[in-house]
Amino acid sequence: MTTHYLVLSALLFVIGGVGVLVRRNAIVVFMCVELMLNACNLAFVTFARQNGNLDGQIIAFFVMIVAAAEVVIGLAIIVTIFRTRRSASVDDVNLLKY
Amino acid sequence: MEPAKIIEHSGGVIGVSWLLIALPLLGAAVLLLGGRKTDRFGHLLGVATAVASFVVGVLVFLQLLGFDPAERRRTVPLYDFIPGLTKMGLLVDPLSISFVLLITGVGSLIHIYSIGYMAHDPNRRRFFAYLNLFVAAMLLLVLADNYIGLYVGWEGVGLASYLLIGFWQHKPSAATAAKKAFIVNRVGDFGLAIAIFTIFTAFNTVSFAGVMESGAHPSQGTLTAIGLLLLLGACGKSAQLPLQSWLLDAMEGPTPVSALIHAATMVTAGVYLVTRSGAMFFPEGSTAAIAVTIVGVATLLAGAIIGTAKDDIKKALAGSTMSQIGYMMLAAGVGPAGYAFAIAHLITHGFFKADMFLGAGSVMHAMNDEVDMRKYGGLRKVMPITFATFLIGYLAIIGFPLLSGYFTKDGIIESAMEHNATLGWLAVLGAGITGFYMSRLVFMTFFGQKRWEADAHPHESPAVMTWPLIILSVGSIFLGGFLILGNRFMTFLAPAVGRPEHLPSFHPFSVAGLVTLALVAAGAALAWFKYGAAEVPVTAPRGSFLTTFARRDLYGDALNEALFMRPGQWLTRLAVFFDNRGIDGLVNGIAAGIGGTSGRLRRVQTGFVRSYALSIFVGAAILVGAWFVVGNL
């Protein structure tokens, strides 16, 4: 039973990871990051249920709060970049380099 | 007889004998710090301090004469020089007071002479400042009651000598000669410094009294090493073989400097050092004492041979100075029997050689600073006073009977003869060569045809220059007889340096004395036929192999160049190569390596977020993988 949840969690995590690596659109990359976070949440909750205590569930709440804060800042940055550069592609934002 | 004990003294003129050093030092300080403001009276102040120092010296001498001979070694404590190591004090004894009177007496005369000689030099004030500095340093050298004080004076006279040889520093030859003198002297000073370190290690004190009365008995090897190192120091300062090469070039300085520093006083410091340390480090028959006699004989012959071939009047006199100091060293190496003769010859030599150097300066003054004797000739009629005084100095140095040099040099030859016949006969031979080269010098300068340059108008020098000559020539006549007859000087000096049990008696007709006179006469006659009666060519003939040998200073410079200068240059070139290629290569290589690597490494910072994400992902994967591997071990 637990194994199924964990396999699902791993699948979601890999889908998110691949999305972060291959997609150019900043919004999509962002959504993929959210996917990875939630895959982690699923794993936490699974273990909480398996072990019969609430630690994992509490951590899942913390992750959600941090993710919400992160979304606020991240989306703000993306919108600002889009306003100035007329592009949401992460490959166009490459000025900070050697 | 052993040297007397050194006793502490206070009060009287001896109590303020530091004035001897302080007066000329004050003069030098005022003239150097006062700058151009003192130009107007600088020469007068310089003379005044030197003469005042001489007056103090005479008063100290008179007070010293008032004591019983066994109590004539007085030390005057001044202050704690180096706490825990040595106190500074002045040692007033017959030996040091003899030097004081010579330095301040002849020094004052030369100061006075310089007023006239340097009259047209824009830097006359600076010249007098340096002369005063020299007198102060030289007095410190002979008066210090410990080796470190002596060393300070020793370096002080070296500095003054350097400044004065290079006084006309606009001439490259003078600047080079000054550097050469300083560097060659460094070799000797190195020996002296090591000797003082060794003395301190062996005796735990550096004062003369402490060393003399120390209960320590260092090994024979240590004593010999100290003696040889002191001899090295003496060789440097006194231009003895093998450190003789600087003296001939030192003639680039103004002539009064050559007279005072490079003939009468500073170059005799080596003889002082050997005599002062004699009882401890050069006992009769010791290795060090034998080395001193050998150095002395070798130098007296080398100097005489160099003197025979030089056409530059000052260089011929410099060769002669080397040779005469060789005589003094020889006598100092003989031991108590020779000390009195060494110092007596040193004093009379101070007079007649200063006399001749100043005479040569007077001639140069008259001949537009020409130094080539081949362009002199027939000067005796136009410069009668210079000629007469020079003639007296000349007769004194070749040992003409009853003049100063006759008594003192004969004493040296006799004591050397008694010590070792070979050394004695070599000294006799040296006297014969002296007769030749000095006669050559006099005949070429004052006799024969006029070979002057067209624009030369020789004239007698002013009174301020001739009076010192006259006084010095009077000393050259009488001083030797006064000191030697009746063993007056040996008895006076005995408390300071000791004397043999049997006082030598003066034999006017000893075999060695007669042979010396015959050789001198033969040398003078040969010089007359070659340079007096015959015509002297204005340009020097090529000469034989031997002439070239003597002209080139016995290839001393060539030898130094081959043995030290060229290997030294190779060494520096090697060091430069090693520094440029090795050390710089290593340092620059590391820097270039790091720079190049980081230049490549920073290309990783592409600015693309996705590649950063990839590297984080790969890094995380590796970490997790490693964790699995480690966890399963």
Side-chain angles (χ1 to χ4, degrees), chain B residues 256-280:
Chain B
V257 171
S258 310
L260 178 61
I261 301 185
H262 304 119
T265 54
M266 184 191 84
V267 286
T268 59
V271 182
Y272 170 78
L273 183 67
V274 171
T275 312
R276 178 60 86 199
S277 319
M280 279 317 296

Side-chain angles (χ1 to χ4, degrees), chain A residues 20-24 90-91 93-94 96-98, chain B residues 602-603 605-610 612-614 617:
Chain A
V20 169
L21 291 180
V22 301
R23 298 306 295 262
R24 288 203 177 82
V90 287
D91 285 0
V93 201
N94 65 346
L96 191 64
K97 60 182 175 188
Y98 54 82
Chain B
R602 88 197 163 139
R603 292 274 158 194
Q605 305 273 332
T606 53
F608 292 112
V609 175
R610 290 187 302 139
Y612 299 161
L614 181 65
F617 182 77

Side-chain angles (χ1 to χ4, degrees), chain A residues 5-92:
Chain A
Y5 289 113
L6 287 180
V7 169
L8 176 62
S9 164
L11 271 176
L12 286 174
F13 190 86
V14 171
I15 291 167
V18 172
V20 169
L21 291 180
V22 301
R23 298 306 295 262
R24 288 203 177 82
N25 191 311
I27 307 278
V28 179
V29 171
F30 220 70
M31 283 159 61
C32 290
V33 170
E34 293 300 318
L35 199 57
M36 289 165 81
L37 287 171
N38 283 308
C40 293
N41 279 349
L42 183 57
F44 277 126
V45 175
T46 307
F47 285 121
R49 184 180 170 83
Q50 186 189 1
N51 293 339
N53 62 23
L54 287 177
D55 292 1
Q57 299 205 11
I58 292 168
I59 295 211
F61 272 113
F62 276 110
V63 172
M64 279 180 204
I65 293 162
V66 171
E70 183 220 326
V71 166
V72 171
I73 295 168
L75 279 178
I77 292 172
I78 289 167
V79 169
T80 316
I81 289 172
F82 184 78
R83 278 189 187 156
T84 52
R85 307 189 69 94
R86 292 280 130 205
S87 158
S89 167
V90 287
D91 285 0
D92 286 346

Side-chain angles (χ1 to χ4, degrees), chain B residues 4-46:
Chain B
K5 269 176 80 87
I6 297 173
I7 45 181
E8 283 213 3
H9 177 97
S10 59
V13 192
I14 295 180
V16 291
S17 49
W18 52 267
L19 273 177
L20 284 168
I21 301 168
L23 284 167
L25 197 61
L26 180 76
V30 169
L31 294 183
L32 286 176
L33 299 175
R36 297 195 184 286
K37 285 190 199 108
T38 53
D39 270 352
R40 214 159 31 82
F41 59 89
H43 51 288
L44 297 178
L45 179 69

